[in-house]
Amino acid sequence: MSNFEPLMRRAITIAEQSLESSDVPVGALVLNPAGEIVGEGMNLRERDNDPTAHAEIVAMRAAALKGNSWRLDGHTLVVTLEPCAMCAGAISQARIKTLVFGAWDAKAGAVGSVWEIPRDPRSLYQVEVFAGILADECGELLRGFFKGKR
């Protein structure tokens, strides 16, 4: 899959939906090896009072349930924001093959900004990473959200 922009646009649409619950607008989706969307997620921490309900975790949970397996070998995760340490660890543990993200997270990013979890040579499972896909659009969504909070 060489052009991730349409998938990132779908993730942005999902992120916009999380604004209804006052959550940080992050959207994610998981594709199986055939390229079919098998899981979608948005941040649900505020709505569910769940500190682990990040968009990536929600999308991977949905994909795992649909596939009846926690192993997401060969799957691709597309997310609007660089994953944090928790999500990057979960991506590795789930054996996601490819990670695609939009905006960088200079404060908590764990795929190159602050830490480097999925591509760390000590990791048990290596993840292929494509970063900065529609980064400006993904970042603008976040900037707009936080500007309204301050």
Side-chain angles (χ1 to χ4, degrees):
M1 191 178 309
S2 59
N3 186 356
F4 295 113
E5 286 187 13
L7 295 169
M8 189 60 72
R9 289 195 191 287
R10 175 67 191 140
I12 290 169
T13 299
I14 295 166
E16 291 169 339
Q17 295 170 11
S18 70
L19 291 169
E20 296 168 16
S21 66
S22 300
D23 253 303
V24 176
V26 178
L29 53 96
V30 177
L31 294 95
N32 67 16
E36 304 162 325
I37 296 174
V38 293
E40 294 184 342
M42 66 184 89
N43 274 354
L44 297 175
R45 294 179 308 166
E46 297 296 331
R47 188 194 81 180
D48 294 354
N49 291 315
D50 180 354
T52 68
H54 290 203
E56 301 93 313
I57 302 295
V58 173
M60 288 189 295
R61 284 178 180 154
L65 286 172
K66 186 165 188 169
N68 199 32
S69 175
W70 63 268
R71 293 176 184 256
L72 298 176
D73 299 284
H75 286 60
T76 298
L77 174 68
V78 178
V79 62
T80 57
L81 179 63
E82 178 185 4
C84 68
M86 176 185 70
C87 293
I91 289 164
S92 246
Q93 289 294 317
R95 301 179 181 175
I96 293 283
K97 178 182 178 187
T98 305
L99 168 63
V100 179
F101 72 86
W104 292 91
D105 185 347
K107 293 182 180 178
V111 188
S113 289
V114 180
W115 299 284
E116 177 60 84
I117 293 173
R119 295 180 289 194
D120 188 304
R122 297 166 293 185
S123 292
L124 295 175
Y125 192 78
Q126 298 294 306
V127 179
E128 179 180 37
V129 177
F130 294 90
I133 308 300
L134 297 179
D136 290 340
E137 291 179 44
C138 294
E140 187 54 42
L141 185 60
L142 292 160
R143 284 187 293 279
F145 173 79
F146 286 112
K147 184 177 182 181
K149 294 284 183 189
R150 295 181 181 132

